[in-house]
Amino acid sequence: MTLYPVPESVARARRWFRKFIAPHDLTCSVDDCVLMISELVTNAILYGEAEEAWRVRVEWWRVGESLRVDVHNPGFPAHVRMRRPDASDAHGRGLCLIDALSDSWHAGPSRFGGTVVSFLVDGAWKP
């Protein structure tokens, strides 16, 4: 899925994932996956940078019994970091949520240029 870097794209990504995943019998929480996708797309929109017009790319697929989701943007991989926000901070919890809800996550260079942030949910499909 390719999205414009605008706030409305977050809701579009959630709807598209729910529609795609509906026919599958996932054993993991679809709501948790939707929340993680929302966080990563929001971060991609907020922190992606490019001099020319750009898009956010979202991909997901089955890896054995696991679900993998990648979110690509033209930002710099070195800028992706998990923060430890204070209780009074209004922002900074996105990657903390990803860390808590996924079995693993990773940030690094995207094969499209820029950054990819990925998460994996083990056992998302029945064996």
Side-chain angles (χ1 to χ4, degrees), residues 92-112:
R93 291 174 180 79
L95 288 177
C96 291
L97 284 169
I98 304 301
D99 191 58
L101 296 174
S102 70
D103 289 292
S104 63
W105 68 276
H106 169 78
S110 168
R111 69 181 184 279
F112 302 108

Side-chain angles (χ1 to χ4, degrees), residues 42-43 111 120 123:
T42 298
N43 285 352
R111 69 181 184 279
L120 193 69

Side-chain angles (χ1 to χ4, degrees), residues 30-61:
V30 172
D31 290 337
D32 285 354
C33 293
V34 168
L35 175 60
M36 291 188 284
I37 289 168
S38 294
E39 291 296 331
L40 292 184
V41 171
T42 298
N43 285 352
I45 291 167
L46 290 175
Y47 303 114
E49 299 174 1
E51 292 182 12
E52 67 280 347
W54 59 278
R55 303 286 189 274
V56 173
R57 180 184 298 262
V58 181
E59 302 174 308
W60 51 76
W61 59 92

